[in-house]
Amino acid sequence: MRVLLSAVGTRGDVQPAIALALELRKRDHQVRLCISPNFVAWAASLGLEARPMGVEMRAPPRKSSAPPPTLSAEDLRRLRESMPDLVTDQFDTLGAAAEGCDVIVGCNAHQYAAPSIAERADIGCVTAVYAPNSIPSPELAPPPAPFQKEPPAGSNDERWRATAKAWNERALERVNHNRGRLRLEPVADVLDYTLTDHTWLAADAALAPPPAASGRRIFQTGSWVLADSSPLPAGLAAFLERGDPPVFVGFGSMPAASDAARPLIAAARTAGRRIVVSKGWADLELGGDAPDAIAVGDVSHGALFPRVAAVVHHGGAGTTAAAARAGVPQLITPLFGDQFYWAERVVQLGAGATVPHTAMTDEAVTRALGAALGPAVTERARSLALLVRADGAATAASRLEAEYGNR
């Protein structure tokens, strides 16, 4: 079987695709990836064939701790017009890469070209999303728009209609222009088109059950977890050995201010905990040398998280699942997108607490971290770990074999 994987975005979007690619290769299938340019070298280092698609997804960190600005509709329109035509780029890149493939797997909802390329080539197409609230349903509110401080008023149905309108304003004309180049009929709804009528949900069932009233077939694979057996850096390992489990603080690839960890470090110290700060793309700062804190680069979450007292993070799907598998409580500080969903789910499950990133005052994070470190939440996090699985990539690979392996 020859599989083309399409993934644009930050590491949280691309890493699951890498995990599925490695699982497929282990089963002797041919795999090709089209991914954000700054991850191509990483994929190549793992022996995978990867082509760049889209733009570099590493924004410079903001130097101010002020919240991001609220953008008007006109601001967003000008921003879209100033960007490269990423829709056409997807059509061109996937169109060339799909030659000889049996199926295209789109890894997140932003698959403007994959369904069209698959239709034109008469091959299979799957769109997999990483959170249930990426799938329109009256049961769940859609992710808020970038820089939106709070969701718009109205029912979930009304919010989804507004979301579909925003997708159409952003991409419908470009999608249909490129479908015309392929001699395909135009589509009327970009979001519905990208998700197809048989969306996959690459999220753990215990953490993220699918919405029942979505009106489309949903196949839940579980999370696509990239196994990482890398040992912890010697300095970090020694730090862990010197005392009680610390609190982990990290925002991954989010554009947080470099001093955003300050109130969280203070809250950990108030709770009598040491601190591990993951610098991430924001290059988070410790705020001075101290024996109770250490800053680290990229490390294996699978190796580190079981050795910490709590994980404080932005609420990415992968980090949320990794902390849940480790059985440790979480404090989620969401910035945008599906991060608010994961924060709400962790609280619903009794496995953590949340403070929106824009509301991270010293008092708020101290109170929330204290709650997350409480005995009841800690015990619930341990119990939840027994339910969370890590074999979603294998489930996805088996489904691809069953549906497309005999083409």
Side-chain angles (χ1 to χ4, degrees):
M1 182 171 60
R2 293 156 297 183
V3 182
L4 174 60
L5 302 180
S6 166
V8 291
T10 63
R11 181 164 182 155
D13 297 291
V14 175
Q15 183 163 311
I18 298 283
L20 178 57
L22 293 175
E23 176 64 29
L24 289 164
R25 188 181 67 179
K26 185 173 70 175
R27 299 174 180 224
D28 295 324
H29 300 297
Q30 298 177 40
V31 186
R32 184 177 297 153
L33 296 109
C34 292
I35 55 180
S36 305
N38 46 313
F39 299 110
V40 169
W42 175 37
S45 73
L46 298 171
L48 296 168
E49 179 189 347
R51 303 182 184 187
M53 184 170 70
V55 295
E56 295 275 346
M57 293 298 294
R58 180 162 185 162
R62 289 187 292 111
K63 298 302 182 182
S64 167
S65 59
T70 300
L71 299 184
S72 67
E74 180 62 20
D75 291 332
L76 289 171
R77 183 190 66 78
R78 283 197 296 265
L79 181 62
R80 285 195 297 269
E81 290 179 351
S82 70
M83 293 175 63
D85 187 349
L86 302 181
V87 173
T88 297
D89 177 70
Q90 282 193 24
F91 271 85
D92 291 344
T93 306
L94 291 177
E99 184 177 355
C101 291
D102 299 302
V103 59
I104 304 175
V105 180
C107 306
N108 70 19
H110 294 278
Q111 303 301 320
Y112 301 107
S116 297
I117 299 300
E119 181 182 349
R120 185 69 178 87
D122 193 24
I123 61 176
C125 182
V126 170
T127 297
V129 297
Y130 302 143
N133 71 332
S134 297
I135 303 171
S137 166
E139 294 182 3
L140 296 172
F147 308 123
Q148 191 177 67
K149 292 183 178 180
E150 55 187 47
S155 66
N156 286 343
D157 281 335
E158 291 170 324
R159 293 175 183 175
W160 276 113
R161 284 194 290 272
T163 295
K165 180 181 177 183
W167 276 69
N168 285 340
E169 290 174 347
R170 180 171 66 242
L172 182 60
E173 182 178 351
R174 294 179 182 183
V175 167
N176 281 333
H177 168 73
N178 282 283
R179 283 180 62 84
R181 292 168 59 203
L182 299 176
R183 294 180 171 80
L184 298 174
E185 293 297 317
V187 298
D189 186 299
V190 172
L191 181 58
D192 186 65
Y193 149 85
T194 62
L195 292 175
T196 77
D197 64 353
H198 56 284
T199 312
W200 285 15
L201 177 56
D204 184 81
L207 290 176
S214 68
R216 56 174 28 90
R217 289 178 292 137
I218 299 174
F219 174 63
Q220 187 157 27
T221 66
S223 300
W224 302 347
V225 180
L226 180 63
D228 185 357
S229 58
S230 304
L232 296 176
L236 175 57
F239 177 83
L240 294 171
E241 292 291 340
R242 285 199 296 267
D244 292 336
V247 169
F248 171 92
V249 176
F251 300 136
S253 54
M254 292 299 99
S258 58
D259 64 349
R262 183 198 56 76
L264 298 164
I265 292 172
R269 286 176 171 150
T270 298
R273 294 288 180 174
R274 303 184 303 150
I275 308 101
V276 173
V277 172
S278 175
K279 290 181 285 188
W281 286 10
D283 199 21
L284 295 180
E285 300 169 350
L286 281 178
D289 294 331
D292 68 340
I294 186 173
V296 299
D298 287 342
V299 298
S300 167
H301 287 176
L304 176 59
F305 284 2
R307 301 184 65 179
V308 303
V311 174
V312 181
H313 64 103
H314 57 292
T319 309
T320 302
R325 288 193 301 274
V328 293
Q330 307 181 46
L331 170 56
I332 298 181
T333 65
L335 286 85
F336 50 75
D338 64 1
Q339 297 164 13
F340 292 93
Y341 169 83
W342 293 111
E344 182 179 348
R345 278 298 294 163
V346 164
V347 171
Q348 288 174 346
L349 292 165
T354 183
V355 175
H357 199 81
T358 54
M360 287 200 319
T361 63
D362 291 1
E363 180 181 357
V365 297
T366 297
R367 183 171 57 250
L369 183 59
L373 290 167
V377 176
T378 300
E379 182 56 37
R380 178 56 188 150
R382 289 175 183 157
S383 300
L384 180 63
L386 302 176
L387 305 176
V388 180
R389 302 171 62 92
D391 58 354
T395 301
S398 294
R399 182 71 169 227
L400 289 172
E401 288 172 332
E403 293 194 358
Y404 306 106
N406 295 320
R407 282 184 171 240

